[in-house]
Amino acid sequence: MMRLDAIDRKILAVLQADGRKSIAELSGEVGLSPSPCLRRVKALEEAGLISRYAAVLDQRKAGLPVSVFVSIKLERQQEEALDAFSAAIRGWPEVLECYLMTGPRDYLLRVVAADLDAYERFLKEKLTRLDGIASIESSFALEQVKYSHVLPLP
C-alpha cells in the first residue's frame, strides 16, 4: 500500500471531485508547481490508487431511473458455482455492482433499468436462466438519499 502524505491526499480529493482538472489547475489547488504535481499524479496512477478516469452520468437523465437491489442465494456455495455466477454477471451491463456477501444471501446486486418492464425482462431473460440459483429477492429503491464515488481518505 502506498504511503500518502497531505499533498497526495489533497491531489486525490481534488481529482475525485473533478478528474478533468488540468495539471496547471490541480497544481495551483494543491500548492505545487506543475512538474512535481504531475510526478505525484503519475505515481498515484502507477501505484493503482487512481485506477481510471470516468464521466459520472446522471442515472435518470440517462433513461435508467429504476434501481433494484437484488439478493441472490445459490444452491451451492462451491467455488465453481461462485465463479460461474460471477462470470455471467460481469457480462450484463444492467448490473452496476455485484458483491459476494456474508449472511443469508450469497450475492447483492445493484441493477438499473428504464422501467419495471425492462427489469422484468432482465429477470426473466437473464437472471432466472442461470443454473444454480436457489432464490432471488428484488427490492426497488424509492429514492436515492446519497450516492458518492468519493472515498473518505484518512
Side-chain angles (χ1 to χ4, degrees):
M1 186 168 143
M2 184 177 181
R3 190 171 193 100
L4 301 176
D5 64 15
I7 293 173
D8 291 329
R9 284 192 289 280
K10 198 177 228 186
I11 288 170
L12 291 169
V14 170
L15 288 177
Q16 283 189 98
D18 183 359
R20 292 185 57 161
K21 290 248 185 220
S22 69
I23 289 297
E25 292 171 315
L26 179 61
S27 64
E29 286 190 43
V30 301
L32 287 176
S33 61
S35 291
C37 185
L38 179 59
R39 278 194 298 275
R40 284 179 178 253
V41 170
K42 292 286 185 201
L44 293 165
E45 291 170 347
E46 288 169 9
L49 200 55
I50 297 173
S51 62
R52 68 181 182 277
Y53 297 91
V56 179
L57 304 184
D58 182 294
Q59 184 179 330
R60 289 189 179 281
K61 290 179 182 173
L64 298 164
V66 177
S67 282
V68 187
F69 294 88
V70 185
S71 295
I72 306 288
K73 180 154 185 62
L74 299 180
E75 291 172 350
R76 292 184 310 290
Q77 289 73 34
Q78 294 171 326
E79 187 175 356
E80 308 83 47
L82 298 172
D83 290 345
F85 182 83
S86 296
I89 292 299
R90 282 189 196 100
W92 296 342
E94 304 92 339
V95 179
L96 297 188
E97 299 175 71
C98 175
Y99 300 94
L100 180 61
M101 306 295 289
T102 63
R105 300 285 170 216
D106 296 312
Y107 286 95
L108 179 65
L109 315 178
R110 182 165 80 99
V111 176
V112 294
D115 53 33
L116 295 178
D117 290 337
Y119 177 69
E120 183 179 4
R121 279 191 306 279
F122 166 79
L123 190 65
K124 288 180 176 177
E125 294 172 10
K126 293 183 177 179
L127 199 52
T128 58
R129 292 185 182 184
L130 283 181
D131 289 331
I133 294 180
S135 68
I136 300 170
E137 292 181 8
S138 302
S139 297
F140 290 83
L142 299 177
E143 176 185 3
Q144 186 178 67
V145 176
K146 179 181 179 181
Y147 172 80
S148 179
H149 60 276
V150 177
L151 293 176
L153 298 173

